[in-house]
Amino acid sequence: GKYVWANGDWFEGEWARDAFLEGKGRQTSKDGSVYEGEFGDGLRRGQGVMKYSNGDRYEGDFRMGRKEGKGKYVWANGDWYIGEWFKDTQHGMGREQMTLLQTTTQYEGGFSQGKRHGKGKETVVGGSTLKEGTWSEGIFKVVHKIAQKEM
């Protein structure tokens, strides 16, 4: 069936127990964002894909309506993160790729509340190691390996 909320959001899919979203379905927000995947107790739960109206995309696990578990997020500009999520935020082990000023770097390591945290390594894609060490709340703190050019 289909249900339309007063705010303009709508859902089309499977139902259970007096209008609780249950099973597989598609939810469209009035801003144009679309979620397709599994629902439980009226919330996004299980595997799903969220396509945001700004061009970003997340594919992976959902719990209690939030990104939680393992998943991949790709920003509209092509940057990406693959790894663990907790309460809609990168949290745990993961890998990200970002391009800034025509330099593309990858980081692999720990994240906490959306920021690099714990041991990790940052490299230039196809090139040298920039930093290898420990991050704290997104800031590089302790050097374990000095930047070097690979031959």
Side-chain angles (χ1 to χ4, degrees):
K2 184 174 182 177
Y3 183 84
V4 180
W5 284 271
N7 70 1
D9 293 356
W10 60 273
F11 170 83
E12 190 165 9
E14 299 172 6
W15 296 85
R17 300 187 315 262
D18 298 326
F20 273 105
L21 313 179
E22 194 78 37
K24 294 189 181 210
R26 176 183 173 110
Q27 184 178 24
T28 304
S29 299
K30 68 177 179 179
D31 72 357
S33 298
V34 177
Y35 170 80
E36 288 190 68
E38 299 172 329
F39 290 84
D41 293 327
L43 299 171
R44 297 174 192 138
R45 184 175 73 192
Q47 289 288 306
V49 176
M50 183 71 185
K51 296 177 184 173
Y52 297 91
S53 59
N54 66 1
D56 293 357
R57 174 187 167 97
Y58 172 80
E59 183 170 352
D61 298 332
F62 287 85
R63 292 189 186 107
M64 301 296 292
R66 299 182 284 217
K67 296 181 290 288
E68 196 161 315
K70 294 190 179 192
K72 179 177 184 178
Y73 195 102
V74 179
W75 283 268
N77 67 2
D79 293 349
W80 53 260
Y81 169 84
I82 300 172
E84 297 173 325
W85 292 81
F86 182 70
K87 294 184 178 178
D88 275 338
T89 305
Q90 299 113 309
H91 194 85
M93 297 304 291
R95 195 168 85 232
E96 72 177 356
Q97 179 171 297
M98 301 174 71
T99 301
L100 182 63
L101 302 174
Q102 299 180 339
T103 301
T104 302
T105 61
Q106 278 191 6
Y107 168 82
E108 186 166 0
F111 287 82
S112 179
Q113 299 176 1
K115 297 179 182 176
R116 296 176 182 182
H117 193 81
K119 289 186 179 181
K121 179 178 179 179
E122 181 178 45
T123 58
V124 173
V125 172
S128 60
T129 298
L130 294 176
K131 299 174 186 169
E132 187 170 343
T134 302
W135 274 258
S136 178
E137 297 182 0
I139 299 169
F140 186 66
K141 295 288 188 180
V142 179
V143 176
H144 296 292
K145 187 173 186 179
I146 304 296
Q148 61 185 7
K149 290 197 181 240
E150 296 178 7
M151 306 229 173

